[in-house]
Amino acid sequence: MLAAVLATFCFGLVLLVVDFVNTRTPVESGLARNPYGGGEKIKELDVAAERGKREKISVKVSEQAYSGDELKSMFKRCTVQLDKVVLGKNESFDHIEEDMELAGSVPGFPVEISWEHDRYDVMNVCGEINQDELAPEGTLITLKAVLTYTQNPKEQMLYEQAAVVFPKTLDKKEELLQNIERAVVEADRETQTEKELILPREAGGRSILFFSSMESRGAVLMAMSALIGILLIALEKQNQEKEVSKRKDQMRQDYPGIIMKLTLLLGAGMTVKRAWKKITADYETEKEDWGMRYAYEEMRQACNEMSSGITEAESYERFGRRCGLQEYIKLGAMLSQNIRRGTKGVREILQMEAVQSFEERKARAKRLGEEAGTKLLAPMFLMLAVVLVIVIVPAFMSVQM
C-alpha cells in the first residue's frame, strides 16, 4: 500500500512538472479537434498581449467537420444503417408486421432525422402500427425522412423508402385474447351510460367467463412477517450475545478491584467470609451510584448461599462457575482450597493475584486501544482513495496527449 501511495505521489509530481512546463511554453501548434461526431470541447488557456498580463480564456473547439465528398459518403453510410434501424424487429420492407423504429438519429452519425409518411391512419409518427386499419392483402406506406447534418443545417439529404404493412399473424391464443379485448371494448361502449360494465359472455364464437385475478398481497404480507420474525430472532440473539460480551467485559474490569479489596480487608485482620460480606454490603450501599455490577451481584448470591446453609468453600466454587470466567473460577477454587487447608498464606496469594490482574488489565487496555486504531484504518484508507481520485482524475483529464 505504501508503495502504491509513493508511486501515485511520484506520478502526480511528474504531471505537476509537465503542466508547469506547458504553462511556460507558448502554444505554437493548433488545438486538436474531436473526430467526426465527437462533439465540441472547451479548452482553458492563458492569453497575454505584448507586455501585458496573462488572462484566462475559454476556447471552444468544434468537432472536425466533413468535407464535400466526405459528407456525401457519410450520408450514404448513414442511409444504409438507417435501413436496418427503421425495420426494428421486421426482416424486410416487403412484409412489415411489427412496429417500425422511426428514429430521430442514427448512432455514430452526426445527423438529425425528421420523418413523414402518407398513411397516418395506419401508422403514427413513432412507427406504431394501428392493426384495425390494415387490409388483409397489405397496405403500402411511403416513408420519407430529411437527414440534416448537425454541424451545418444547410447540408441535408432526402431518404425515401416504401414498406408494405400486413396485419400481425396471431396464433389461436393471441387471436382469442384479441377477440376478448374487442368484445370488452364493445361492451364498455354499449353500457357506458350504466353504473356497471356488463362483461361479455361470448367472444369469437366461444363462451367466456371472467374471474378475479389472484392478489399477491396475502403472500407478500406472509413473507414480510416471516422475514420480520427471522430478523427479530436474529436481533434478539445478537442482543443476547452483546449482553453476554458486556457482562464478561464488565466482570474482567471489576476483577482487579475485587482482589485488591479482599487483600486490604484480609490485611486488616478480617476473615475471608467477613471480607466477602463487607465488600457485598458496600456494593449494596453504593449500588444506586455504581449501577448494577455483575461480579458483585454474583458475590451477593454467594453470601445468600452461605446464609442458606451451603458451606463457605462450596459457595466460593459455585460463585466461580456462575461467573464463567477463568479469573473468577481460579479465585473461587483458591479461596475454597485455602479454607479447607487453612487460611495461612491466602493474603500473600491474593497480593500476587492482584498484581497479576492489574498487569493483565493494562495489557487488555493496550490491546483494545490497538484494535480501535486498526478499525480506524479502513475509513482512513477510504478517505485517502477519495482524495487520490479528486487529485488524479482532473490531472488525467487535463493532460495533453
Side-chain angles (χ1 to χ4, degrees), residues 249-270:
D249 291 340
Q250 188 191 89
M251 294 180 75
R252 288 193 180 97
Q253 184 180 0
D254 290 339
Y255 180 72
I258 293 173
I259 294 296
M260 183 59 68
K261 290 177 182 178
L262 280 173
T263 303
L264 292 175
L265 293 175
L266 290 177
M270 289 188 178

Side-chain angles (χ1 to χ4, degrees), residues 157-324:
M157 178 181 178
L158 180 63
Y159 171 86
E160 188 170 346
Q161 185 63 263
V164 183
V165 184
F166 290 87
K168 188 175 181 180
T169 304
L170 304 176
D171 56 23
K172 293 183 178 181
K173 180 180 177 181
E174 292 175 336
E175 185 177 1
L176 176 60
L177 290 176
Q178 188 179 77
N179 291 333
I180 292 174
E181 290 177 356
R182 290 176 178 174
V184 171
V185 172
E186 183 64 26
D188 180 59
R189 186 183 301 113
E190 292 177 355
T191 61
Q192 195 168 5
T193 58
E194 305 293 335
K195 291 184 178 180
E196 295 180 346
L197 166 62
I198 307 301
L199 295 172
R201 296 303 179 184
E202 183 178 299
R206 299 176 61 179
S207 61
I208 56 175
L209 295 174
F210 290 89
F211 300 90
S212 297
S213 298
M214 180 65 182
E215 297 286 346
S216 59
R217 55 189 179 183
V220 172
L221 186 60
M222 290 176 60
M224 290 180 61
S225 58
L227 179 61
I228 292 173
I230 294 172
L231 292 177
L232 288 176
I233 294 173
L235 179 62
E236 181 65 23
K237 185 176 181 181
Q238 185 181 22
N239 290 337
Q240 290 177 358
E241 292 177 353
K242 287 183 178 179
E243 188 65 25
V244 171
S245 178
K246 177 183 176 182
R247 179 178 181 271
K248 290 182 178 180
D249 291 340
Q250 188 191 89
M251 294 180 75
R252 288 193 180 97
Q253 184 180 0
D254 290 339
Y255 180 72
I258 293 173
I259 294 296
M260 183 59 68
K261 290 177 182 178
L262 280 173
T263 303
L264 292 175
L265 293 175
L266 290 177
M270 289 188 178
T271 63
V272 175
K273 185 175 182 179
R274 287 187 59 192
W276 193 274
K277 290 186 175 181
K278 171 65 175 172
I279 294 172
T280 305
D282 291 343
Y283 165 70
E284 291 289 343
T285 304
E286 301 178 3
K287 184 176 180 179
E288 292 185 0
D289 298 329
W290 287 9
M292 190 183 73
R293 311 298 294 182
Y294 294 102
Y296 290 95
E297 290 290 333
E298 296 297 340
M299 292 182 69
R300 185 170 60 84
Q301 179 66 21
C303 287
N304 294 337
E305 290 178 350
M306 295 178 196
S307 302
S308 64
I310 299 176
T311 62
E312 184 178 353
E314 179 66 18
S315 298
Y316 293 145
E317 291 179 356
R318 290 161 66 96
F319 161 77
R321 289 195 295 270
R322 283 197 308 272
C323 291

Side-chain angles (χ1 to χ4, degrees), residues 378-395:
M380 288 176 62
F381 280 123
L382 182 61
M383 293 175 63
L384 176 62
V386 172
V387 172
L388 290 176
V389 170
I390 293 174
V391 173
I392 294 176
V393 170

